[in-house]
Amino acid sequence: MHILISNDDGYTAPGLEVLAASLSKFADVTVFAPEVNHSGASNSLTLNRPLMVKEAANGFVYVNGTPSDCVHVALTGVLKQRPDLVVSGINNGANMGDDTLYSGTVAAATEAYLFGIPAIAFSLTGRAWFGLDQAAEIAVQIVKQQIAQPIQAPVLLNVNIPSLAGGQIKGTKVTRLGKRHPSQPVMAAQTPYGEPVYWIGPAGEAVDASEGTDFAAIADGYVSITPLRLDLTHYDQLPSLSAWAQSL
Amino acid sequence: MHILISNDDGYTAPGLEVLAASLSKFADVTVFAPEVNHSGASNSLTLNRPLMVKEAANGFVYVNGTPSDCVHVALTGVLKQRPDLVVSGINNGANMGDDTLYSGTVAAATEAYLFGIPAIAFSLTGRAWFGLDQAAEIAVQIVKQQIAQPIQAPVLLNVNIPSLAGGQIKGTKVTRLGKRHPSQPVMAAQTPYGEPVYWIGPAGEAVDASEGTDFAAIADGYVSITPLRLDLTHYDQLPSLSAWAQSL
Amino acid sequence: MHILISNDDGYTAPGLEVLAASLSKFADVTVFAPEVNHSGASNSLTLNRPLMVKEAANGFVYVNGTPSDCVHVALTGVLKQRPDLVVSGINNGANMGDDTLYSGTVAAATEAYLFGIPAIAFSLTGRAWFGLDQAAEIAVQIVKQQIAQPIQAPVLLNVNIPSLAGGQIKGTKVTRLGKRHPSQPVMAAQTPYGEPVYWIGPAGEAVDASEGTDFAAIADGYVSITPLRLDLTHYDQLPSLSAWAQSL
Amino acid sequence: MHILISNDDGYTAPGLEVLAASLSKFADVTVFAPEVNHSGASNSLTLNRPLMVKEAANGFVYVNGTPSDCVHVALTGVLKQRPDLVVSGINNGANMGDDTLYSGTVAAATEAYLFGIPAIAFSLTGRAWFGLDQAAEIAVQIVKQQIAQPIQAPVLLNVNIPSLAGGQIKGTKVTRLGKRHPSQPVMAAQTPYGEPVYWIGPAGEAVDASEGTDFAAIADGYVSITPLRLDLTHYDQLPSLSAWAQSL
């Protein structure tokens, strides 16, 4: 069992270190992770320059690129052996609802899924790594379950784990993605020379956190597992849009 | 009618200039585009630094960030007036099948769609801008159709226009996204110091270009319009995954 | 007479456009300039990725790198013809005293000087390009003087031109670099998530603006021309340091 | 005795770790180093975005900026206590002759010198860190000498240490900077899409490696110490240039 691990917080992130250490107890583990933090990277690929692939003292491989770059170069030539599973994380903060689209953590897993390899993204909902060891145990359980009973379909799982004290997690729920309100307004600021600059604002509050969503599961103290698909075609709109396009 | 235009090729790209000129004949047009090329940017947002928003001599606004950044800052505070429509492009090259996930052109439109604004991404399938003027005319037709008969649903359209000589385009097809083979292997190279580096390889050939796909429409000489959705939940897998997760 | 022009404000900067237009009236002009602003770039060279060299619609060549990169690639292979002279600017803002060390404008000229080509850096002391046309006329005079009576030595000139209304400039002074106070403190700020960030503060006020300095010349309404050298050895300290090092 | 340490290879570089460990045996040591490698950064300062200043697990502070940024933010507000000495390195590779102008290692020391703090840059001439421990011992000797007998002048020392086996170093020489031939031509390459790109070529061979230069000292197996100055005015050219400028 060979597992490739990546993340978006960078190769020195505690969430990555703990995940790699936990999985290496029962599997061959290879780490390809970004040299620096790439939160918000989405599925971006670096196309205008080549990537450097280096090995840190602890054996982790780091790449001066995005999470998608890391998994992409590993799978398309740098890694000699095709991994059996790709996991990403454990991320510093939740990746729920619309966040999923922007998440570099999810994107690293997505890249593997597009190459036909089962992939799981793990995120810890709180900041400051509270509950990280417990989250790693849960990640191990889920990975072992996938090894013991492989899901019989291409699979991309988005797992969020609540930052709770040991023993406080109530169980696991399989969920759909919730929805957020639009993100908060840009935060205007100034350079020392008086020029205006704008920070992207934080994500909006959940607007659909109803029963069955990832938001609801986390709020109730459960681990949330959401299966993802990447077929972006809006099939339901095909008939009406065909009618609309007649007039063109 | 106020239209916000963005792209991923950067604010000096011919595809953007022609599109803006064409749409400004019948609508108020504002351009927020990246300062430099961001092909492959996907939905990435810049979270680790603030963005500079400047105006070029021709009135185009450029941002030192990604396509998603451009539309995001416009809609969350920099633009005083909420636009009625957001269009992106015209991109230098196709955005079909799995490319859609990585495309900055599509991402700029996606950002608007997530804010509840109708959004259309336009791409010209060939390189070197062959057929650009014709493509702009087609973009105008589609935009006018959306203004005259607004689609009665949240709408995100991915439009690919074939690079054909004038009059050679056969019509318009509403399509689903096709699929590509995995991308080509990384291209290994060396720095002048002998260190290895790796370029991300080109996209793979189409593997599902069957009737009804965007690949098929373009190959047959039609404009392809694909409606997109961004709900990434894999609803079909929810039941089986729930059973699977019982054992956790 | 073939003149290579670069700058650090980027290839779309008005100071570059005006300078290129003025010099092209009597010389063959080639522009290699950075794609985006690189103020503060100093002599930095890009060593971890290759550079892209592209041509804009107006014939200017732009490079996705630093000012030094632009001149370096032009002189070491991209430009077929070795230029007779390299000029840099006209910069948006002064480059006087200690600023010279950090200036990308001066660095572009320095790069040429190191390759044995006479080089002149031009800066306009005010912001917002006030007095730009007059500055271009003065730049033309200095360039023509160098062509007519070439300085009989390797030459790197740092020229600052005051932002004054037409006819208000009193003449030209050959100066030494003044000194500044240390720069102002960092400006602390916060991300939208409450994390601290720090902006580099503005340059300090002049501490040596005495007669004979560039600061004094500009304050008095003169163009300042300072010859620069790049031999960083502190010859005066060699004897005492040799004694000191005996004890090692 | 409080010593601030920086470098240009990044905060995880072995040369930095060994230097910090060695100096912390007899002094209070603070590290402010770049997050990633910035070889070739020269004195560049980051002016278009704010800097993030974070602490690694080992207590080293890292900054997402250049070597000059690191020392600048430390000295202008982030560090509570003004250091007594700033050292930079130990660099992976020589910084001799004209390299000095481009070196980020030297630039970090330069930044301190400009703030009136004694500063020393250390470089190990070979690659792959051969002889690093010996180099650290030599760095300790030089630092202790500066503490015991402070040089009675503003001081910026550029120290190069040969990569030799233990005991093979013959002694120390105080030197002037040599000169190099112009650097090698750009190395042309191609993207996977066939677009040309250009790598900056390696530095040229020494052209002035005569007795008394840093090149000669290193070639002969000695540690080279070169005192640097940053007054870029070419005083010798002032008279002739004044005559020349009369005609303007």
Side-chain angles (χ1 to χ4, degrees):
Chain A
M1 175 57 46
H2 178 208
I3 302 176
L4 174 66
I5 310 180
S6 193
N7 76 343
D8 78 353
D9 291 321
Y11 79 101
T12 62
L16 176 68
E17 290 180 7
V18 169
L19 183 60
S22 299
L23 298 182
S24 63
K25 289 176 186 162
F26 62 93
D28 292 330
V29 159
T30 305
V31 172
F32 271 61
E35 186 171 15
V36 299
N37 187 294
H38 273 83
S39 296
S42 191
N43 300 91
S44 64
L45 286 175
T46 299
L47 304 179
N48 65 345
R49 62 174 172 86
L51 299 160
M52 293 186 168
V53 176
K54 298 188 175 171
E55 190 172 327
N58 66 356
F60 288 7
V61 175
Y62 61 92
V63 178
N64 62 344
T66 66
S68 297
D69 286 337
C70 292
V71 174
H72 191 103
V73 299
L75 298 184
T76 63
V78 179
L79 208 57
K80 296 301 166 233
Q81 179 192 6
R82 182 179 164 96
D84 303 300
L85 180 67
V86 174
V87 303
S88 178
I90 298 173
N91 189 60
N92 180 25
N95 279 306
M96 301 191 289
D98 310 318
D99 305 348
T100 308
L101 195 64
Y102 301 103
S103 166
T105 306
V106 174
T110 297
E111 195 68 19
Y113 170 82
L114 289 171
F115 280 90
I117 300 173
I120 311 176
F122 293 104
S123 301
L124 182 61
T125 61
R127 296 278 171 171
W129 306 112
F130 183 74
L132 177 57
D133 288 337
Q134 180 175 242
E137 289 170 24
I138 290 166
V140 164
Q141 285 180 318
I142 292 172
V143 167
K144 284 186 169 174
Q145 169 83 346
Q146 165 64 14
I147 294 171
Q149 302 181 38
I151 297 167
Q152 296 306 309
V155 64
L156 173 59
L157 302 183
N158 184 36
V159 179
N160 282 276
I161 302 168
S163 281
L164 292 173
Q168 300 292 308
I169 294 182
K170 293 185 187 161
T172 299
K173 289 197 174 177
V174 173
T175 60
R176 70 177 188 278
L177 298 176
K179 296 274 175 208
R180 288 191 185 277
H181 280 286
S183 74
Q184 296 177 30
V186 288
M187 188 177 86
Q190 282 197 331
T191 72
Y193 299 92
E195 296 170 307
V197 292
Y198 303 91
W199 290 91
I200 298 282
E205 294 299 303
V207 64
D208 172 13
S210 58
E211 186 58 29
T213 64
D214 46 3
F215 289 117
I218 292 297
D220 291 347
Y222 289 85
V223 173
S224 164
I225 304 181
T226 310
L228 302 183
R229 66 182 173 192
L230 291 171
D231 182 349
L232 301 181
T233 306
H234 200 323
Y235 293 98
D236 295 347
Q237 287 190 348
L238 289 175
S240 61
L241 192 63
S242 294
W244 180 88
Q246 295 291 343
S247 325
L248 287 171
Chain B
M1 175 58 46
H2 178 208
I3 302 176
L4 174 66
I5 309 181
S6 192
N7 77 345
D8 77 353
D9 291 321
Y11 79 101
T12 63
L16 177 67
E17 289 179 8
V18 170
L19 183 60
S22 299
L23 297 183
S24 63
K25 289 177 186 161
F26 62 93
D28 293 330
V29 159
T30 305
V31 172
F32 271 60
E35 186 172 13
V36 299
N37 186 293
H38 273 81
S39 296
S42 189
N43 301 91
S44 64
L45 287 175
T46 300
L47 304 179
N48 64 346
R49 62 174 173 85
L51 299 159
M52 292 187 169
V53 177
K54 297 187 176 172
E55 191 172 326
N58 66 354
F60 288 7
V61 175
Y62 61 92
V63 178
N64 62 344
T66 67
S68 298
D69 286 338
C70 292
V71 174
H72 192 102
V73 298
L75 298 184
T76 62
V78 178
L79 207 56
K80 296 302 167 234
Q81 179 192 4
R82 182 179 165 96
D84 303 299
L85 180 66
V86 174
V87 303
S88 177
I90 296 172
N91 189 60
N92 179 24
N95 280 305
M96 301 191 289
D98 310 319
D99 304 347
T100 309
L101 195 65
Y102 300 103
S103 165
T105 306
V106 175
T110 297
E111 195 68 19
Y113 171 81
L114 289 172
F115 280 90
I117 300 173
I120 310 176
F122 293 105
S123 301
L124 183 61
T125 61
R127 295 278 170 173
W129 306 113
F130 182 74
L132 178 58
D133 288 337
Q134 180 174 242
E137 288 169 25
I138 290 166
V140 163
Q141 286 180 318
I142 293 172
V143 167
K144 283 186 169 173
Q145 169 83 344
Q146 165 65 13
I147 293 171
Q149 303 180 40
I151 297 166
Q152 297 304 309
V155 64
L156 174 59
L157 302 183
N158 183 37
V159 179
N160 282 276
I161 301 169
S163 280
L164 293 174
Q168 300 293 307
I169 293 182
K170 294 186 186 158
T172 299
K173 289 197 174 178
V174 173
T175 59
R176 69 177 189 277
L177 299 176
K179 296 275 175 207
R180 287 191 186 277
H181 280 286
S183 74
Q184 296 176 30
V186 287
M187 189 177 84
Q190 283 198 331
T191 72
Y193 299 94
E195 295 171 307
V197 292
Y198 303 92
W199 290 91
I200 298 282
E205 293 300 301
V207 63
D208 172 13
S210 58
E211 185 58 30
T213 63
D214 45 3
F215 289 117
I218 291 297
D220 291 347
Y222 289 85
V223 173
S224 164
I225 304 181
T226 310
L228 302 183
R229 67 183 172 191
L230 292 170
D231 183 349
L232 301 181
T233 306
H234 200 323
Y235 293 99
D236 296 348
Q237 287 190 347
L238 289 175
S240 62
L241 192 63
S242 293
W244 180 88
Q246 296 291 343
S247 323
L248 288 171
Chain C
M1 175 58 45
H2 177 208
I3 302 176
L4 174 66
I5 310 180
S6 192
N7 77 344
D8 77 353
D9 291 322
Y11 79 101
T12 62
L16 176 68
E17 291 179 7
V18 170
L19 183 60
S22 300
L23 298 182
S24 63
K25 289 177 187 161
F26 62 92
D28 293 329
V29 159
T30 304
V31 171
F32 272 60
E35 186 172 15
V36 299
N37 186 294
H38 274 82
S39 296
S42 190
N43 301 91
S44 63
L45 287 174
T46 300
L47 304 179
N48 64 346
R49 62 174 172 84
L51 298 160
M52 293 185 168
V53 176
K54 298 187 175 172
E55 191 173 327
N58 66 354
F60 288 7
V61 175
Y62 60 92
V63 178
N64 62 344
T66 65
S68 297
D69 287 337
C70 292
V71 174
H72 192 103
V73 298
L75 298 184
T76 63
V78 179
L79 208 56
K80 297 301 166 235
Q81 180 193 6
R82 181 178 165 96
D84 303 300
L85 180 66
V86 174
V87 302
S88 177
I90 298 173
N91 189 59
N92 180 26
N95 279 306
M96 301 191 289
D98 311 319
D99 305 347
T100 308
L101 195 64
Y102 301 104
S103 165
T105 305
V106 175
T110 297
E111 195 67 19
Y113 170 82
L114 289 172
F115 280 90
I117 300 173
I120 311 176
F122 294 105
S123 302
L124 182 61
T125 61
R127 296 279 170 170
W129 306 112
F130 183 75
L132 178 58
D133 287 337
Q134 180 174 243
E137 289 170 23
I138 291 166
V140 163
Q141 287 180 316
I142 293 172
V143 167
K144 283 186 169 174
Q145 169 83 344
Q146 165 64 15
I147 294 171
Q149 303 180 39
I151 297 167
Q152 297 305 309
V155 65
L156 173 60
L157 303 183
N158 183 37
V159 180
N160 282 275
I161 301 168
S163 282
L164 292 173
Q168 300 293 307
I169 293 181
K170 293 185 186 159
T172 299
K173 289 197 175 179
V174 173
T175 60
R176 70 177 189 277
L177 299 176
K179 297 274 176 206
R180 288 191 184 277
H181 281 284
S183 74
Q184 296 177 31
V186 288
M187 188 177 85
Q190 282 198 331
T191 73
Y193 299 93
E195 295 170 306
V197 292
Y198 303 91
W199 291 91
I200 297 283
E205 293 299 303
V207 63
D208 171 13
S210 58
E211 187 57 31
T213 64
D214 46 3
F215 290 117
I218 292 296
D220 291 346
Y222 289 85
V223 173
S224 164
I225 304 182
T226 310
L228 303 183
R229 67 182 172 192
L230 291 171
D231 182 349
L232 301 181
T233 305
H234 200 321
Y235 294 98
D236 296 347
Q237 287 190 349
L238 289 175
S240 61
L241 192 63
S242 294
W244 180 88
Q246 296 291 343
S247 324
L248 287 171
Chain D
M1 174 58 45
H2 177 207
I3 302 176
L4 174 66
I5 310 181
S6 193
N7 77 344
D8 77 354
D9 291 320
Y11 79 101
T12 62
L16 177 68
E17 290 180 7
V18 169
L19 183 60
S22 299
L23 298 182
S24 63
K25 289 177 185 160
F26 62 92
D28 293 330
V29 159
T30 304
V31 172
F32 271 60
E35 187 172 14
V36 299
N37 186 294
H38 273 81
S39 295
S42 189
N43 301 91
S44 64
L45 287 175
T46 300
L47 303 178
N48 65 345
R49 62 175 173 84
L51 298 160
M52 292 186 168
V53 177
K54 297 188 176 172
E55 191 173 327
N58 66 355
F60 287 7
V61 175
Y62 61 93
V63 177
N64 61 344
T66 65
S68 297
D69 286 337
C70 292
V71 174
H72 192 103
V73 299
L75 298 184
T76 63
V78 178
L79 207 57
K80 296 301 166 235
Q81 179 192 4
R82 182 178 164 96
D84 303 300
L85 180 67
V86 173
V87 303
S88 178
I90 297 171
N91 189 59
N92 179 26
N95 280 305
M96 300 191 290
D98 310 318
D99 305 347
T100 309
L101 196 65
Y102 301 103
S103 164
T105 306
V106 175
T110 297
E111 195 68 20
Y113 170 81
L114 290 171
F115 280 90
I117 300 174
I120 311 175
F122 293 105
S123 301
L124 183 62
T125 61
R127 296 277 170 172
W129 305 113
F130 182 75
L132 179 57
D133 288 337
Q134 180 174 243
E137 288 169 25
I138 290 166
V140 163
Q141 285 180 318
I142 292 173
V143 168
K144 282 186 169 174
Q145 169 84 344
Q146 165 64 15
I147 293 172
Q149 302 181 38
I151 297 166
Q152 297 305 308
V155 65
L156 173 60
L157 302 183
N158 183 37
V159 179
N160 282 275
I161 302 168
S163 281
L164 293 173
Q168 300 292 309
I169 294 181
K170 294 185 188 159
T172 298
K173 288 197 175 179
V174 173
T175 61
R176 69 177 189 278
L177 298 176
K179 296 276 174 205
R180 288 190 185 277
H181 280 285
S183 74
Q184 297 177 30
V186 287
M187 188 177 86
Q190 282 198 332
T191 73
Y193 299 93
E195 295 170 305
V197 292
Y198 303 92
W199 290 90
I200 298 282
E205 294 299 302
V207 64
D208 172 13
S210 57
E211 186 58 30
T213 63
D214 46 3
F215 290 117
I218 292 297
D220 291 345
Y222 290 84
V223 173
S224 164
I225 303 182
T226 310
L228 302 183
R229 66 182 173 193
L230 292 170
D231 183 349
L232 302 181
T233 306
H234 199 323
Y235 294 98
D236 295 347
Q237 288 190 347
L238 288 176
S240 62
L241 192 63
S242 294
W244 180 88
Q246 295 290 343
S247 324
L248 287 172

